[in-house]
Amino acid sequence: MAQMLPLQAPTLAHAALPAVSGPRAALLRNIALAVAGSLLLVLAAKIKVPFWPVPMTLQTLVVFGVGAAFGSRLGAATVALYIAYGLAGLPVFTNTPPVAAGPLYLVGPTGGFLVGFVAAAAIAGWAAVRGASLPRLVGGLVAAEVVMMALGFGWLALGAQMAAGTTGIGFAKAFAFGVQPFILGDLLKLALVACLARAGWSVLQRRG
């Protein structure tokens, strides 16, 4: 029976919660999970942890964690809901304030990373469903990190400045300021999410 648990409830969050009957109840539960996850992202964006070489927020930890716990579609939808708060003008992003939130925020330097958050949650969710093996989970999380960084790096190097009518800062500066300082911190977060996800599935399988 323990082996059947991930098949019956393919995501960690749904396996941990009591079963619901009917599509309406399932929809309401998913909405509640998305709202809770998006609010956790708001909190994580505002928490700064001293680290080397630069302080880090807990945003990517929650992005990976939401994906791993909620699955691909709900994880991506949760991150998209968080971004929607910012597009509506709410100060939910790391740099708001002093930077004003709103649609123009997405064309700023960090816009590519925000879009990358959605992709990262989707990839992490795909890798983590059904009690995935540790190699598949870690591989998926690494792929999520690479895609997220690639989107943020590309936009920072070219897109943000082009959208403002100026030339891009170039690949070398974009990597030095937008990618390199955050690699070590993100790898630690990735490892933590992988350990927590595997531990969560192990606990649920033992209970099953």
Side-chain angles (χ1 to χ4, degrees):
M1 186 173 179
Q3 293 178 347
M4 290 297 294
L5 179 59
L7 295 177
Q8 295 170 348
T11 70
L12 182 59
H14 291 97
L17 294 174
V20 296
S21 59
R24 183 174 182 179
L27 176 62
L28 290 175
R29 183 176 65 176
N30 286 343
I31 291 174
L33 286 171
V35 171
S38 64
L39 293 179
L40 186 59
L41 262 172
V42 174
L43 179 63
K46 302 300 182 180
I47 297 176
K48 290 191 175 180
V49 179
F51 197 69
W52 182 90
V54 294
M56 65 178 180
T57 71
L58 300 181
Q59 240 179 338
T60 50
L61 176 67
V62 176
V63 168
F64 293 142
V66 161
F70 289 2
S72 182
R73 288 182 294 178
L74 183 56
T78 299
V79 178
L81 178 60
Y82 161 72
I83 295 174
Y85 298 155
L87 294 179
L90 299 177
V92 298
F93 301 135
T94 299
N95 298 322
T96 58
V99 179
L104 289 179
Y105 191 91
L106 277 186
V107 301
T110 59
F113 291 103
L114 289 172
V115 174
F117 285 171
V118 179
I123 296 171
W126 168 83
V129 295
R130 302 184 188 278
S133 65
L134 186 59
R136 172 179 165 171
L137 177 59
V138 171
L141 290 172
V142 170
E145 168 74 9
V146 170
V147 170
M148 179 188 70
M149 282 296 189
L151 290 171
F153 167 69
W155 180 249
L156 182 60
L158 300 174
Q161 283 67 33
M162 291 174 64
T166 61
T167 58
I169 65 173
F171 294 109
K173 286 185 177 179
F175 183 81
F177 294 105
V179 177
Q180 187 175 12
F182 306 101
I183 292 176
L184 180 58
D186 277 5
L187 290 177
L188 289 176
K189 297 172 196 176
L190 184 156
L192 179 59
V193 168
C195 291
L196 290 175
R198 288 301 302 160
W201 276 117
S202 295
V203 169
L204 290 174
Q205 287 172 340
R206 285 198 296 270
R207 287 181 179 177

